[in-house]
Amino acid sequence: MQQLCRRIRGPRRSAAVLAITALALVVPSVATTSRPTATVPARPAAPAVARATCSPSPAPGVRMSEAIRGQAGHRRSTGTLRALTLMIDFPDARGAGSARGRFAEFFPQTAQWYRTSSYGALDYRASAPVKSWIRMPHTFASYGIKRGVGYDPGYRKLVRDIAKAAEGRVDFGKYDLLNVLVTPNAGPSALHTVLSVTFTGMTEAPKADGVPLSDVSFVYGRQEDGSATAKANAYRVLPHENAHVLGLPDLYTADSGSSRVGHWDLMSETWGPGNDVLGWHKRRLGWLDGEQVSCVNGSGDETRTIAPLSGAGEDRSGRHRATRLVYVPATDTTGYALEVRTQEGNDEAVCKPGVLVYWIDTGAESGDGPVTVRDSSPHSGGCSHQPNMNAELSDAPFAVGEGMTDERTGISVAVTGHDRASGGYRVRISRP
């Protein structure tokens, strides 16, 4: 598998820019009902195709996409995931505070976040067999670590040194991935430059105890911006990075660091208050099963009842497993996903509950904007103004009586009412 490296975006006030050239995002034009008409820039797109696939595959050449099928090479996302966690420092950046304290910044919060998001399907187990800082043999500066650098030569050298320094104290063969928590005084503050990065599926990675260290997440600095909840939520950089190992792409755009998903997914924004991941990602990771996903790929009008994404299993009436994600394919690589988001579970920042509608393009690479949330209230300024959130998209969900029409594909979505049994919404979907 080819080298894949993913970086999280910095806080909204950060001036850091990723040195990556990204393609323009491809989205169709959309109009909302019960709101002023809004148009989203678009490229020419194929009209809606009857019976387009409900489980799109990745486009040729796309290494990490939003495809459901054909995504081999990632770590398990259900069952038990064992994460080896090592705390390292350097001769020129000795450990700030205790290594145990550094570990406590991320655990058990990361494990709890995954337990909640996966409805208990992923048992994330973090181990730190070495309780002290592991000193690297060279200075931090000697590894040439900067924002945007690749795996070679600096990170390969660092991974090799970590394996050697931990030799005899760690059985690397017992774990599925490696977390490296770097002393926060190594490198610039996370408020100015975010260095945290994940390398996954690395070919010819350095080995330890006979196993290649091919899936490694590095975390630097501290995401503390002075806001009241910053310290409590700073851990979320790690579940973001580990999600790359599970196969999820970045949802911000690498050219500008901006997001077309806002705070609706951890792969978009990790700063600010807590958030979950999209239902599409839960489907990809196996946290939603086939009974909880409905596909609308025929022509005409169909009605679906969508239960809140934060719930799991049976609906509140106890009669059946509720639908929590609806997919409306436009082509074999694009379509709309619908889900209901409420202020429950990992979603503490939701200020307007409702039906979240977003466009998926499996032909877009990580960092090229593979997902775009449709805003029910364009140019409203949003309903939440918590620090480090994309405020404009905070009121994106559609409420009862609201809807949208995709002017290019002809797909329409209208929220027609509440559903008392599931606590969700009834939605009418139209395809030409």
Side-chain angles (χ1 to χ4, degrees):
M1 189 173 180
Q2 294 184 2
Q3 173 180 334
L4 300 176
C5 57
R6 306 284 172 254
R7 293 166 178 79
I8 63 168
R9 68 187 294 259
R12 291 166 62 81
R13 67 186 181 189
S14 173
V17 178
L18 288 177
I20 303 174
T21 301
L23 300 176
L25 179 68
V26 179
V27 294
S29 299
V30 173
T32 58
T33 58
S34 301
R35 303 285 181 182
T37 299
T39 301
V40 179
R43 73 173 183 185
V49 178
R51 302 298 177 187
T53 181
C54 294
S55 300
S57 300
V62 178
R63 299 172 297 173
M64 184 175 282
S65 78
E66 290 292 2
I68 296 297
R69 297 182 291 116
Q71 296 276 83
H74 302 298
R75 293 296 181 176
R76 66 174 66 92
S77 52
T78 60
T80 300
L81 183 72
R82 293 178 173 82
L84 170 62
T85 305
L86 301 177
M87 290 69 73
I88 69 170
D89 68 358
F90 304 85
D92 59 337
R94 295 175 180 268
S98 70
R100 290 173 182 262
R102 184 62 163 157
F103 181 82
E105 292 178 29
F106 301 93
F107 299 103
Q109 303 95 309
T110 295
Q112 180 59 51
W113 186 92
Y114 273 112
R115 185 179 303 113
T116 300
S117 186
S118 69
Y119 317 113
L122 180 61
D123 178 16
Y124 186 109
R125 300 186 183 182
S127 298
V130 181
K131 309 301 182 183
S132 59
W133 294 108
I134 299 176
R135 180 69 46 78
M136 294 296 98
H138 306 289
T139 64
F140 177 77
S142 70
Y143 292 98
I145 294 171
K146 298 179 181 178
R147 186 168 175 82
V149 301
Y151 188 72
D152 288 305
Y155 273 106
R156 182 180 295 277
K157 178 182 177 182
L158 180 56
V159 171
R160 187 181 297 115
D161 287 344
I162 291 171
K164 186 174 181 179
E167 187 177 7
R169 294 190 282 175
V170 176
D171 181 358
F172 287 88
K174 294 170 54 178
Y175 302 98
D176 301 302
L177 61 87
L178 170 60
N179 293 321
V180 179
L181 306 182
V182 181
T183 179
N185 58 321
S189 165
L191 290 176
H192 300 96
T193 301
V194 178
L195 296 179
S196 297
V197 62
T198 289
F199 296 95
T200 181
M202 299 299 299
T203 59
E204 300 181 0
K207 293 183 178 181
D209 296 321
V211 298
L213 303 180
S214 56
D215 298 288
V216 187
S217 293
F218 292 88
V219 174
Y220 300 84
R222 289 192 173 103
Q223 293 189 195
E224 297 181 13
D225 59 3
S227 59
T229 60
K231 187 174 182 179
N233 290 320
Y235 76 91
R236 294 185 304 118
V237 62
L238 188 57
H240 169 107
E241 291 297 342
N242 284 174
H244 289 314
V245 176
L246 304 182
L248 298 188
D250 282 321
L251 297 184
Y252 59 82
T253 52
D255 55 346
S256 64
S258 65
S259 170
R260 292 179 170 85
V261 176
H263 213 67
W264 296 105
D265 195 292
L266 187 73
M267 306 312 292
S268 169
E269 293 182 354
T270 62
W271 295 73
N275 54 352
D276 206 337
V277 292
L278 297 169
W280 185 261
H281 284 164
K282 292 175 187 275
R283 179 193 180 192
R284 289 190 54 210
L285 296 175
W287 300 346
L288 291 178
D289 61 31
E291 294 181 35
Q292 297 171 294
V293 179
S294 177
C295 183
V296 178
N297 65 349
S299 60
D301 295 349
E302 295 194 37
T303 298
R304 294 288 188 274
T305 298
I306 310 175
L309 189 65
S310 58
E314 296 179 341
D315 67 10
R316 293 177 182 175
S317 70
R319 291 180 303 212
H320 62 279
R321 292 176 65 79
T323 296
R324 304 195 188 278
L325 177 69
V326 173
Y327 182 55
V328 188
T331 71
D332 283 340
T333 58
T334 60
Y336 280 104
L338 289 67
E339 64 195 49
V340 171
R341 299 294 282 268
T342 57
Q343 196 179 67
E344 298 176 282
N346 286 332
D347 272 334
E348 67 179 74
V350 175
C351 56
K352 181 190 176 184
V355 179
L356 190 70
V357 180
Y358 49 97
W359 176 257
I360 297 170
D361 182 358
T362 65
E365 178 67 83
S366 174
D368 287 349
V371 176
T372 302
V373 166
R374 300 312 184 199
D375 194 349
S376 68
S377 310
H379 314 300
S380 69
C383 57
S384 177
H385 300 284
Q386 298 190 56
N388 292 312
M389 277 187 65
N390 184 328
E392 177 59 38
L393 288 176
S394 62
D395 61 353
F398 292 83
V400 175
E402 297 178 343
M404 54 142 273
T405 297
D406 180 327
E407 298 172 347
R408 194 169 298 275
T409 66
I411 295 173
S412 295
V413 173
V415 182
T416 59
H418 289 286
D419 182 71
R420 185 173 301 176
S422 68
Y425 293 80
R426 290 187 299 276
V427 181
R428 185 179 66 250
I429 301 158
S430 302
R431 293 180 83 250

